[in-house]
Amino acid sequence: MIDGALLIGGEARQAANRFTAVNPASGETLTPDFSSANADAVAEACTLAEDAFATYAATDLESRAAFLEGIAQNILDIGDELIERAMAESGLPRARLEGERGRTVGQLKLFAGVVRQGDFLDATIDPALPDRAPLPRPDLRRVNLAIGPVAVFGASNFPLAFSVAGGDTASALAAGCPVVVKGHPSHPGTGELVARAIQKAVADAGLPAGVFSYLPGETNELGGALVADPRIQAVGFTGSRGGGLALVRIAAKRDEPIPVYAEMSSINPVVLFPAALAARGAALAKEFVGSLTMGAGQFCTNPGLVLAVDGPDLDAFVEAAGSALTDSAPATMLSPGIHASFEQGVAALAGHEAVRTVARGKSGEGVNQAVGAFFETTADQFLADVKLSHEVFGSSSMLVRCRDLPEIALVIAKLEGQLTATLQVDPADEAEAAKLVPVIARRVGRILANGWPTGVEVAPAMVHGGPFPATSDGRTTSVGTLAIARFLRPVCFQNLAPALLPEALHDDNGWGIARRLDGKREASPR
Ligand SMILES: O=CCCC(=O)C(=O)O
């Protein structure tokens, strides 16, 4: 059911202030209208989250895992209504949204497995050494505990996998943290359907209602009030650089500053090494345009920068990519606002005196259509104007012609932090690539070879992060099992009687988790 409510703890409540969603493919206003949460709603949701914290954080691993699986099942049970509504609110095609639902549900199940396994607790026991000279060692036991209530900001570009029940929510709940979601205003109906699925899972699991609240709204004040609320202990955000930085500032100015895990901006450089370019330039050109235009380019992993050594092989690549882009269809963008920013960014590059427009995609009849754009410049010009390295969110990319591989290394070393870097590399390139990898590794969260950066695998080894401004904290990831670490805090218990210790640190290891005992891995408990 979608009726435009705020979901605060176990309740659904209508608010006086309203807003509407727009179908970006048609420009029509969608029904119903939606409650816009205010500061009172934030305070109420955060109070409930704080009240729920101790109970929820103390849930046993099996119950918490089953709760996450319950959310996944409830999302599936919504059925086609969820896909239809997400299509109407985002302009994204059915196949993409069905895939994204699978990813969302898979993520929740992955975190259920993480919880059951218990490695995230990093339980470590250094038994007392009463006879140690000159001083005895106390009994020391460390475990990761949930950080407290977490605020999650739904992203516009993944209305399911990075939104209400996306990776931030799944990892925070897995860590044992209640979550207050600020819903994204471009897909409030989708958000409400998913939020109701979580709310039902909370009730079915017999958990305190404050474990989850959903606050839709379109004002910046709502997000600001949520981050400023003293009960909130960490923030997960995926979105624009401006939006992320605003939250970082609010969090830093609190009486008690808190971490903001914001994933914000990346142009994802792709390096075409000479042998690869010579051997398969035409194929690379086609694949590049496929990745560039996928989902109207609205991926934070979009390949927005291509680097290669100037010469005839590069000319051939440019011609092939230009021709593939010229044939590419326009695609509906997520919202009129995102479309307007894309047009503005593309116009600025097209009008820049140091930039040549290689090609544009086909234009379309409808509203909010992204027409792909491919530009080129030289390394000197790219390095001379920082604006050329700023992300244009959508299907826009810049080729930088470099004199040689050291110049590519120079450009990369001067880039801001990135989520990804891609190497198109053949065996004959490997000696040169080996010199570049350490330079690239300083700037990015993920390096991939002979693939394309769009389409992030949700897996234990994944890193979807990177140095600023890719994220506000390059030590973390928002995709993959390590995402849980953002919402945990290590606590050491010194000389506490067994009855006072958390379950994970009891001598009998009743949860059967992997632990480190006196510096060594305990024999496998299962
Ligand atoms: O838009 C940000 C996430 C990108 C992603 O998850 C993907 O490329 O699959």
Side-chain angles (χ1 to χ4, degrees), residues 22-25 89-92 295-298 330-343 367-371 392-396:
V22 171
N23 181 332
E89 290 184 337
S90 69
L92 293 170
Q298 301 166 117
T332 306
M333 298 198 84
L334 292 155
S335 70
I338 286 176
H339 178 250
S341 302
F342 173 72
E343 292 273 287
V367 290
N368 302 316
Q369 298 296 295
V371 175
V392 176
F393 187 69
S395 46
S396 170

Side-chain angles (χ1 to χ4, degrees), residues 133-170:
L135 289 172
R137 180 173 82 181
D139 181 88
L140 298 169
R141 297 175 187 235
R142 168 163 61 74
V143 70
N144 288 333
L145 297 182
I147 197 167
V150 170
V152 169
F153 287 71
S156 63
N157 62 340
F158 277 71
L160 299 172
F162 281 81
S163 198
V164 177
D168 286 344
T169 298

Side-chain angles (χ1 to χ4, degrees), residues 21 55 98 124 154 178 194 262 282 297 330 403 498 506:
T55 305
E98 286 177 348
T124 302
V194 174
R403 271 186 286 274
H506 285 185

Side-chain angles (χ1 to χ4, degrees), residues 100-311:
E100 199 183 319
R101 177 178 57 187
R103 176 168 166 176
T104 308
V105 164
Q107 238 159 217
L108 285 157
K109 291 182 178 170
L110 180 71
F111 277 108
V114 166
V115 170
R116 276 199 186 92
Q117 188 193 38
D119 283 2
F120 73 99
L121 297 165
D122 198 18
T124 302
I125 300 176
D126 300 328
L129 300 174
D131 300 326
R132 190 182 68 174
L135 289 172
R137 180 173 82 181
D139 181 88
L140 298 169
R141 297 175 187 235
R142 168 163 61 74
V143 70
N144 288 333
L145 297 182
I147 197 167
V150 170
V152 169
F153 287 71
S156 63
N157 62 340
F158 277 71
L160 299 172
F162 281 81
S163 198
V164 177
D168 286 344
T169 298
S171 53
L173 289 175
C177 301
V179 169
V180 181
V181 169
K182 191 243 169 225
H184 198 282
S186 342
H187 51 259
T190 310
E192 185 179 334
L193 286 169
V194 174
R196 285 184 184 276
I198 303 178
Q199 194 185 46
K200 179 172 181 312
V202 171
D204 290 349
L207 293 168
V211 164
F212 177 77
S213 290
Y214 170 66
L215 304 175
E218 54 178 356
T219 66
N220 292 339
E221 288 71 29
L222 167 58
L226 186 54
V227 174
D229 189 284
R231 274 76 50 115
I232 294 297
Q233 292 300 304
V235 179
F237 170 91
T238 299
S240 70
R241 186 167 176 162
L245 284 179
L247 300 186
V248 168
R249 283 190 208 102
I250 292 167
K253 279 198 192 135
R254 290 171 36 135
D255 288 345
E256 181 197 3
I258 54 168
V260 175
Y261 299 107
E263 190 237 290
M264 299 178 285
S265 171
S266 184
I267 56 171
N268 304 300
V270 177
V271 182
L272 310 175
F273 280 86
L277 192 57
R280 49 193 169 95
L284 288 175
K286 259 195 169 163
E287 292 164 16
F288 159 65
V289 171
S291 179
L292 171 66
T293 55
M294 183 189 289
Q298 301 166 117
F299 284 64
C300 31
T301 47
N302 191 53
L305 176 66
V306 181
L307 301 167
V309 176
D310 207 357

